[in-house]
Amino acid sequence: RQIYDQFGHEGLRGTGFRGFTDFNDIFSSFGDIFENFFGFGTVKDRRERPRKGNDLRYDMQLSLEDAFSGKEEEITFKRWAACEVCNGSGITPGKEAGICATCQGNGTIIRSQGFFQLQTTCPTCNGQGKIITDPCLKCKGQGKIQIKRVLNLKIPPGIDTGSQLRIRGEGEAGDYGGPNGDLFVVMHVKEHPFFSREGDNLFCELPISFIQAALGDSIKIPVIGEETLHEIRIPQGTQPGDVISIQEMGMPSLSTGKRGQLFIKFIVRIPKKLNRRQKELLEEFLAAEGIKGADKIGRLFRAK
Ligand SMILES: [Zn+2]
Ligand SMILES: [Zn+2]
């Protein structure tokens, strides 16, 4: 119990917020580069076609215990939503958008360069063909406002670092009636002081004395997801670095729920100091083995 408390709970609770990354930003700016680069060939007509909103990313920190058992977690974040006053149009209700004078509402303009006539996106209305003359007061003509969202997430057991939860429709508002983007919750499972993890398997190192290794013993260790300690057997004659595995003591599989294995590696400790009694006993042991003083090294070589 004491060991579990020490290893199991130390500074592992709670989650961290690392902020958002806008997935679509990179790609939409690429789009602009290509558009300008290839001139008339790829001019986009940006008039009111529905466009899906940007996806959002939320980074969540979990302890290994939480990843084992799953948990419910409330997250709070801000995102852009369609303005409810103007329904996302950006125009004061009852008013209408004016036709862009530069392009006469086409969204594109023709430029003459030498022999060529180039069609480009209208810079005044940014290709939309319309200009807002009476902007909505609530959203200042943007058609979107930032809202605070509180979501209760159900995190299933077996989550690992890099696992993603996708929550449809919780990304940013779309344009012109397009659907909202999605929210991606990206999981980060924190390192555990006692267990390390590979897939559904857990690994730990267990220090034992050389006496326990030689004689065999049983010892209680903390197990992930259990409040009580679990008794394991150290086999007689255990060598330094020997590994035993225990079935179904690892992490649950995210897809099947079946638990992986727990691998325990024995670290055999040799005492650096002995009291007189201990020294006597070991000398006696040495004598029982039939090894004496100067003979030690020779015996070791001959044994090979
Ligand atoms: Zn508005
Ligand atoms: Zn225009």
Side-chain angles (χ1 to χ4, degrees), residues 65-71 154-160 197 251-255 257:
E65 283 83 355
D66 288 341
F68 174 84
S69 53
K71 72 182 293 201
K154 283 195 177 63
I155 297 152
I159 285 286
D160 202 352
R197 176 182 185 181
M251 297 293 282
S253 158
L254 192 56
S255 49

Side-chain angles (χ1 to χ4, degrees), residues 83-91 136-141 143-144:
C83 171
E84 73 271 25
V85 172
C86 61
N87 260 329
S89 69
I91 306 162
C136 166
L137 295 176
K138 169 101 182 181
C139 63
K140 299 181 179 65
K144 295 173 184 178

Side-chain angles (χ1 to χ4, degrees), residues 200-202 245-251 259-263:
D200 298 331
N201 294 329
L202 288 176
S245 71
I246 306 175
Q247 299 290 325
E248 294 182 22
M249 280 272 166
M251 297 293 282
R259 286 180 67 177
Q261 299 183 63
L262 171 62
F263 292 90

Side-chain angles (χ1 to χ4, degrees), residues 48 74-75 128 136 139 148 154 160 169 225 232 235 241 243 253 293:
E48 306 179 1
E74 197 177 81
I75 63 167
Q128 296 187 14
C136 166
C139 63
K148 190 173 142 186
K154 283 195 177 63
D160 202 352
I232 59 153
V243 175
S253 158

Side-chain angles (χ1 to χ4, degrees), residues 100-109 122-130:
C100 173
T102 310
C103 62
Q104 276 86 46
N106 290 321
T108 55
I109 53 168
C122 171
T124 308
C125 62
N126 201 23
Q128 296 187 14
K130 289 178 182 176

